[in-house]
Amino acid sequence: MVTLTVDPNTEVIPDFTTEDFRFTREAVLVGREGGTNELAVEILTNAWNAGLERRKIIWEEEREEREANRGREDRRVTRERAADEETLQTRQSRAQSPRSSDAPNLVAGKPVPEAIEYPPARFAIKKLVEREYIELSYFTPEGREEAVRSESVASQEIFTLAKDDDVLALKPVVNFRAKGKAAQDEDLTWEQLCVASTNFLEHIVIEKWPVNMIEAMHAFFFHLTNHKLRNEGADGIKVLILYQARVRREWHRQIKNPPRDGIFDISIIDDRALRTLKDQVYDAKRSALLAGKQDEPLSRRPRAD
């Protein structure tokens, strides 16, 4: 881009009739048969005026750009000064009131929440942060209530020895699973699975899972809870519950130890796996009927994987 150093509005047109421009006039008339000195002066004058107009346009554009740059610089300096003043005022305020930053944001007149939901156990949240498999029972209403009761007893100041990367370290008790409290995914009811999966999906967003993992989990539970096996009654639902437990557990295992050919697409419900699990459910039911026993929990049955 051309940068002008002289305001074209102050320029004065040269006198093209003088001896200084004789060779220029002759050059202009080359190839023009019958061209006169007056014609040469007219051509040069017109060319100079056209160039002057172009320079005026460029000058105006550059002037506007210079003014815009000055405006931006002025605003930047103003912001920096304001920030410096605000920082100084903040430091002075903290020096005068050292605990003012600890004051909670209490909103006058804000109503109590219509429904108060307990958060999942910190053990479950820790698993989510590490993107590891965690039982859905931690995300049921019963599981969240149990977490509140357990954590109110186990103070964060109580530690226990735990092995971490072959090194013994002290860890808070609340980071550990409460023994006997978490139901296996295979033993959930259909209602528990639906409620827990919704809460689970909300928390993987809160814990900032990668978008592709969030989308895969949403698609997985959507296709699972809308599968046609639901129409086959209790046995069909048992198959879906068992499928959810086995497949989700394996998916997380592969995420931690990715195979060479990549991790399988959990969002696609595999009909072959469903048929295998369906046979297992029906075989177990027939065996129980022959033995005169009720169905045992799915978590106690041998896994196909």
Side-chain angles (χ1 to χ4, degrees):
M1 180 179 177
V2 179
T3 302
L4 301 180
T5 58
V6 178
D7 185 352
N9 294 290
T10 63
E11 294 184 34
V12 179
I13 186 170
D15 185 358
F16 293 114
T17 64
T18 64
E19 184 64 20
D20 293 337
F21 290 95
R22 180 168 63 85
F23 290 109
T24 305
R25 292 194 299 272
E26 291 176 355
V28 168
L29 294 175
V30 172
R32 297 177 184 272
E33 188 175 349
T36 62
N37 194 56
E38 289 75 13
L39 177 60
V41 171
E42 181 182 354
I43 292 172
L44 290 172
T45 300
N46 291 339
W48 189 89
N49 286 331
L52 178 65
E53 291 303 317
R54 287 195 298 273
R55 290 193 295 279
K56 286 182 178 180
I57 293 173
I58 294 173
W59 179 265
E60 183 63 22
E61 291 176 348
E62 292 181 348
R63 183 189 64 78
E64 293 176 354
E65 181 64 23
R66 286 193 295 272
E67 290 180 354
N69 288 337
R70 280 197 295 269
R72 283 193 290 268
E73 180 64 17
D74 290 344
R75 289 191 293 274
R76 184 188 66 79
V77 172
T78 301
R79 285 196 301 269
E80 289 182 354
R81 288 177 179 172
D84 291 342
E85 292 176 0
E86 183 179 357
T87 300
L88 179 60
Q89 292 174 358
T90 301
R91 289 176 180 173
Q92 292 174 345
S93 176
R94 287 178 180 173
Q96 295 170 1
S97 181
R99 297 191 63 81
S100 60
S101 60
D102 296 336
N105 181 24
L106 303 180
V107 182
K110 183 175 181 179
V112 174
E114 183 176 350
I116 299 177
E117 293 187 356
Y118 297 123
R122 270 179 273 185
F123 169 80
I125 296 301
K126 183 175 181 291
K127 286 288 188 179
L128 288 186
V129 171
E130 296 173 354
R131 299 169 193 166
E132 295 181 354
Y133 171 81
I134 183 67
E135 292 86 351
L136 287 182
S137 61
Y138 284 102
F139 300 90
T140 62
E142 301 87 352
R144 298 200 301 272
E145 290 176 8
E146 178 60 35
V148 172
R149 287 193 292 270
S150 298
E151 291 180 9
S152 65
V153 175
S155 169
Q156 278 188 292
E157 296 180 356
I158 300 177
F159 291 82
T160 186
L161 282 173
K163 196 172 184 180
D164 189 2
D165 294 332
D166 297 328
V167 178
L168 285 176
L170 286 172
K171 289 191 175 183
V173 171
V174 293
N175 282 341
F176 290 85
R177 183 197 308 261
K179 291 184 178 180
K181 299 300 182 183
Q184 295 296 304
D185 275 0
E186 293 89 338
D187 298 331
L188 293 176
T189 66
W190 185 251
E191 291 74 15
Q192 286 176 324
L193 186 148
C194 292
V195 172
S197 63
T198 300
N199 191 258
F200 170 82
L201 293 173
E202 292 174 356
H203 277 83
I204 64 176
V205 174
I206 294 172
E207 301 306 327
K208 296 181 172 57
W209 276 24
V211 173
N212 61 340
M213 289 182 67
I214 293 175
E215 291 177 345
M217 280 285 97
H218 273 273
F220 171 68
F221 282 111
F222 174 81
H223 293 143
L224 186 80
T225 54
N226 289 279
H227 198 274
K228 61 184 179 182
L229 271 178
R230 289 179 57 196
N231 300 325
E232 296 189 16
D235 291 335
I237 287 176
K238 277 187 178 181
V239 173
L240 293 174
I241 291 173
L242 185 60
Y243 180 91
Q244 181 277 142
R246 301 284 175 85
V247 172
R248 195 167 62 86
R249 188 180 289 114
E250 174 61 18
W251 188 67
H252 278 281
R253 188 190 68 79
Q254 290 196 15
I255 286 176
K256 285 296 181 183
N257 300 284
R260 290 183 178 180
D261 57 345
I263 301 166
F264 66 90
D265 186 355
I266 194 173
S267 67
I268 300 175
I269 304 299
D270 190 276
D271 290 335
R272 297 171 304 167
L274 281 177
R275 283 195 296 270
T276 300
L277 294 176
K278 188 175 181 179
D279 291 342
Q280 291 179 10
V281 169
Y282 287 152
D283 288 345
K285 185 176 181 180
R286 282 193 294 269
S287 298
L289 289 174
L290 291 174
K293 299 179 181 179
Q294 294 182 347
D295 288 351
E296 61 180 339
L298 292 174
S299 60
R300 298 177 187 170
R301 299 175 191 165
R303 294 176 181 167
D305 56 354

